[in-house]
Amino acid sequence: MDYSKFVDAVLENDESVITKQVKVITAVLIKFLTVRMNASFEDAQDCAQNTLLIAVEKIRNDELTHPDALINYLFTTSKHEYFKVISKDREVNYEDLPEHHSTNADQLHRLVDKEKMSLLKQCMEALKTDYRKYIEYWFQNPGYETSVVADHFDISINNAWTKKHRIINVLKECIEKKFQK
Protein backbone atom coordinates (compact mmCIF):
# COMPACT_ATOMS: atom_id res chain seq x y z
CA MET A 1 0.00 0.00 0.00
CA ASP A 2 1.15 3.52 -0.77
CA TYR A 3 1.09 5.35 2.56
CA SER A 4 2.03 8.65 0.94
CA LYS A 5 -1.65 9.00 -0.06
CA PHE A 6 -2.59 8.87 3.61
CA VAL A 7 0.06 11.42 4.60
CA ASP A 8 -0.96 13.74 1.74
CA ALA A 9 -4.67 13.38 2.57
CA VAL A 10 -4.04 14.26 6.23
CA LEU A 11 -1.91 17.27 5.32
CA GLU A 12 -4.51 18.43 2.76
CA ASN A 13 -7.40 17.56 5.11
CA ASP A 14 -9.04 15.46 2.36
CA GLU A 15 -11.72 13.65 4.38
CA SER A 16 -12.82 11.22 1.64
CA VAL A 17 -9.29 9.92 1.00
CA ILE A 18 -8.57 9.80 4.74
CA THR A 19 -11.71 7.71 5.30
CA LYS A 20 -10.74 5.24 2.56
CA GLN A 21 -7.15 4.99 3.80
CA VAL A 22 -8.21 4.62 7.43
CA LYS A 23 -10.39 1.61 6.56
CA VAL A 24 -7.46 -0.14 4.90
CA ILE A 25 -4.90 0.78 7.55
CA THR A 26 -7.27 -0.17 10.37
CA ALA A 27 -7.76 -3.62 8.86
CA VAL A 28 -3.98 -4.08 8.58
CA LEU A 29 -3.40 -3.01 12.19
CA ILE A 30 -6.22 -5.20 13.52
CA LYS A 31 -4.81 -8.20 11.68
CA PHE A 32 -1.32 -7.42 13.00
CA LEU A 33 -2.53 -7.16 16.60
CA THR A 34 -4.75 -10.23 16.53
CA VAL A 35 -2.24 -12.46 14.75
CA ARG A 36 1.10 -11.25 16.12
CA MET A 37 0.06 -10.02 19.56
CA ASN A 38 -2.85 -12.41 20.16
CA ALA A 39 -5.11 -9.45 20.97
CA SER A 40 -8.84 -9.83 21.07
CA PHE A 41 -10.67 -8.29 18.12
CA GLU A 42 -12.18 -5.56 20.31
CA ASP A 43 -8.84 -4.62 21.85
CA ALA A 44 -7.25 -4.60 18.40
CA GLN A 45 -9.95 -2.25 17.10
CA ASP A 46 -9.43 0.14 20.02
CA CYS A 47 -5.66 0.09 19.64
CA ALA A 48 -5.85 0.61 15.87
CA GLN A 49 -8.16 3.58 16.34
CA ASN A 50 -5.90 5.15 18.99
CA THR A 51 -2.87 4.54 16.79
CA LEU A 52 -4.45 6.30 13.83
CA LEU A 53 -5.45 9.26 15.99
CA ILE A 54 -1.88 9.55 17.23
CA ALA A 55 -0.47 9.18 13.70
CA VAL A 56 -2.79 11.86 12.27
CA GLU A 57 -1.73 14.25 15.01
CA LYS A 58 1.95 13.51 14.33
CA ILE A 59 1.47 14.05 10.59
CA ARG A 60 -0.37 17.35 11.16
CA ASN A 61 2.44 18.53 13.45
CA ASP A 62 5.05 17.61 10.80
CA GLU A 63 6.58 15.06 13.15
CA LEU A 64 5.87 12.17 10.79
CA THR A 65 6.31 12.98 7.12
CA HIS A 66 8.18 10.08 5.58
CA PRO A 67 5.60 7.65 4.12
CA ASP A 68 7.98 4.67 4.18
CA ALA A 69 8.44 5.08 7.93
CA LEU A 70 4.70 5.40 8.52
CA ILE A 71 3.88 1.69 8.50
CA ASN A 72 6.67 0.91 10.97
CA TYR A 73 5.45 3.74 13.15
CA LEU A 74 1.87 2.43 12.97
CA PHE A 75 2.88 -1.12 13.87
CA THR A 76 5.08 0.02 16.74
CA THR A 77 2.50 2.44 18.10
CA SER A 78 -0.33 -0.11 17.86
CA LYS A 79 1.82 -2.65 19.69
CA HIS A 80 2.51 -0.14 22.48
CA GLU A 81 -1.17 0.78 22.63
CA TYR A 82 -1.95 -2.90 23.11
CA PHE A 83 0.65 -3.16 25.86
CA LYS A 84 -1.15 -0.30 27.61
CA VAL A 85 -4.42 -2.23 27.38
CA ILE A 86 -2.79 -5.32 28.85
CA SER A 87 -1.19 -3.38 31.69
CA LYS A 88 -4.51 -1.70 32.53
CA ASP A 89 -6.13 -5.13 32.75
CA ARG A 90 -3.50 -6.14 35.29
CA GLU A 91 -3.89 -3.08 37.49
CA VAL A 92 -5.49 -3.67 40.87
CA ASN A 93 -8.54 -1.62 41.69
CA TYR A 94 -7.88 -0.55 45.27
CA GLU A 95 -11.39 0.80 45.67
CA ASP A 96 -12.79 -2.74 45.61
CA LEU A 97 -10.57 -4.40 48.20
CA PRO A 98 -11.61 -7.85 49.34
CA GLU A 99 -12.86 -8.28 52.88
CA HIS A 100 -9.86 -10.41 53.78
CA HIS A 101 -6.65 -8.57 53.03
CA SER A 102 -4.26 -11.41 53.72
CA THR A 103 -4.08 -15.12 53.14
CA ASN A 104 -3.99 -17.75 55.83
CA ALA A 105 -0.60 -18.46 57.33
CA ASP A 106 1.07 -21.32 55.54
CA GLN A 107 4.35 -21.55 57.42
CA LEU A 108 3.54 -25.02 58.73
CA HIS A 109 2.81 -26.33 55.22
CA ARG A 110 6.03 -24.81 53.91
CA LEU A 111 8.03 -26.41 56.74
CA VAL A 112 6.50 -29.82 56.05
CA ASP A 113 7.13 -29.41 52.31
CA LYS A 114 10.72 -28.36 52.99
CA GLU A 115 11.21 -31.42 55.22
CA LYS A 116 9.70 -33.70 52.55
CA MET A 117 12.01 -32.24 49.91
CA SER A 118 14.98 -32.82 52.18
CA LEU A 119 13.92 -36.44 52.66
CA LEU A 120 13.39 -36.87 48.93
CA LYS A 121 16.88 -35.53 48.27
CA GLN A 122 18.37 -38.00 50.79
CA CYS A 123 16.43 -40.89 49.25
CA MET A 124 17.49 -39.92 45.74
CA GLU A 125 21.13 -39.83 46.81
CA ALA A 126 20.70 -43.40 48.07
CA LEU A 127 19.58 -44.62 44.63
CA LYS A 128 21.91 -46.33 42.19
CA THR A 129 23.52 -43.84 39.82
CA ASP A 130 21.57 -44.93 36.72
CA TYR A 131 18.24 -44.85 38.62
CA ARG A 132 19.06 -41.42 40.02
CA LYS A 133 19.91 -40.05 36.56
CA TYR A 134 16.74 -41.59 35.18
CA ILE A 135 14.36 -40.12 37.78
CA GLU A 136 16.17 -36.75 37.76
CA TYR A 137 15.50 -36.59 34.03
CA TRP A 138 11.80 -37.16 34.70
CA PHE A 139 11.78 -34.50 37.44
CA GLN A 140 13.50 -32.00 35.13
CA ASN A 141 11.05 -32.78 32.30
CA PRO A 142 7.71 -33.56 33.98
CA GLY A 143 5.65 -32.84 30.87
CA TYR A 144 7.49 -35.28 28.65
CA GLU A 145 5.66 -38.26 27.23
CA THR A 146 6.97 -41.69 28.16
CA SER A 147 7.99 -42.23 24.54
CA VAL A 148 10.31 -39.19 24.65
CA VAL A 149 12.00 -40.45 27.81
CA ALA A 150 12.25 -43.94 26.33
CA ASP A 151 13.97 -42.52 23.24
CA HIS A 152 16.33 -40.48 25.40
CA PHE A 153 17.43 -43.56 27.37
CA ASP A 154 17.17 -45.90 24.37
CA ILE A 155 14.71 -48.26 26.05
CA SER A 156 11.19 -49.40 25.21
CA ILE A 157 8.18 -47.38 26.29
CA ASN A 158 7.03 -50.19 28.61
CA ASN A 159 10.46 -50.34 30.23
CA ALA A 160 10.49 -46.56 30.66
CA TRP A 161 7.09 -46.56 32.34
CA THR A 162 7.89 -49.57 34.56
CA LYS A 163 11.28 -48.17 35.58
CA LYS A 164 9.74 -44.80 36.47
CA HIS A 165 7.08 -46.35 38.69
CA ARG A 166 9.50 -48.73 40.37
CA ILE A 167 11.82 -45.85 41.25
CA ILE A 168 8.89 -43.76 42.50
CA ASN A 169 7.77 -46.63 44.72
CA VAL A 170 11.31 -47.03 46.09
CA LEU A 171 11.48 -43.29 46.81
CA LYS A 172 8.04 -43.33 48.41
CA GLU A 173 8.98 -46.20 50.73
CA CYS A 174 12.27 -44.50 51.61
CA ILE A 175 10.56 -41.21 52.43
CA GLU A 176 7.92 -42.95 54.56
CA LYS A 177 10.60 -44.78 56.54
CA LYS A 178 12.60 -41.60 57.10
CA PHE A 179 9.48 -39.58 57.91
CA GLN A 180 8.46 -42.03 60.64
CA LYS A 181 11.86 -41.89 62.38
Side-chain angles (χ1 to χ4, degrees):
M1 179 177 162
D2 184 11
Y3 294 99
S4 61
K5 291 179 186 177
F6 180 68
V7 173
D8 292 340
V10 170
L11 292 173
E12 295 167 7
N13 212 13
D14 186 345
E15 294 296 326
S16 64
V17 175
I18 290 174
T19 303
K20 289 177 188 174
Q21 294 290 314
V22 163
K23 285 181 184 179
V24 173
I25 294 171
T26 301
V28 169
L29 292 176
I30 289 172
K31 188 168 187 173
F32 166 75
L33 290 169
T34 55
V35 172
R36 289 280 178 100
M37 305 303 294
N38 201 24
S40 69
F41 184 75
E42 294 78 18
D43 286 344
Q45 282 180 315
D46 292 343
C47 294
Q49 183 179 9
N50 290 343
T51 298
L52 284 166
L53 291 172
I54 293 167
V56 167
E57 191 65 32
K58 292 274 187 189
I59 292 168
R60 286 188 176 147
N61 292 335
D62 281 337
E63 296 174 41
L64 190 61
T65 56
H66 199 271
D68 293 337
L70 181 65
I71 190 61
N72 290 332
Y73 178 80
L74 293 171
F75 284 146
T76 302
T77 303
S78 66
K79 181 171 62 172
H80 287 288
E81 286 295 308
Y82 180 62
F83 288 152
K84 288 179 191 175
V85 168
I86 292 173
S87 68
K88 284 181 184 175
D89 288 345
R90 291 183 188 159
E91 288 179 4
V92 177
N93 183 356
Y94 291 105
E95 294 172 5
D96 301 328
L97 287 176
E99 289 185 30
H100 301 288
H101 301 296
S102 61
T103 59
N104 294 335
D106 64 345
Q107 292 92 345
L108 180 61
H109 293 291
R110 282 191 272 155
L111 283 173
V112 170
D113 288 345
K114 190 174 182 180
E115 183 178 357
K116 285 180 181 177
M117 288 305 291
S118 174
L119 294 175
L120 176 61
K121 185 176 179 182
Q122 292 173 19
C123 290
M124 284 186 63
E125 289 171 356
L127 289 173
K128 294 179 187 175
T129 305
D130 62 326
Y131 282 2
R132 186 173 53 249
K133 286 180 182 178
Y134 184 81
I135 200 67
E136 283 174 351
Y137 185 80
W138 270 105
F139 285 156
Q140 291 168 357
N141 305 290
Y144 278 10
E145 296 286 329
T146 307
S147 59
V148 174
V149 177
D151 285 344
H152 179 79
F153 287 98
D154 197 27
I155 57 177
S156 72
I157 294 173
N158 286 339
N159 284 346
W161 188 88
T162 302
K163 190 173 186 177
K164 173 186 175 185
H165 288 281
R166 283 184 182 161
I167 296 170
I168 288 173
N169 285 334
V170 167
L171 290 172
K172 183 179 174 185
E173 289 173 13
C174 176
I175 289 171
E176 287 174 357
K177 286 179 187 175
K178 289 185 179 282
F179 201 67
Q180 291 175 356
K181 286 184 181 179

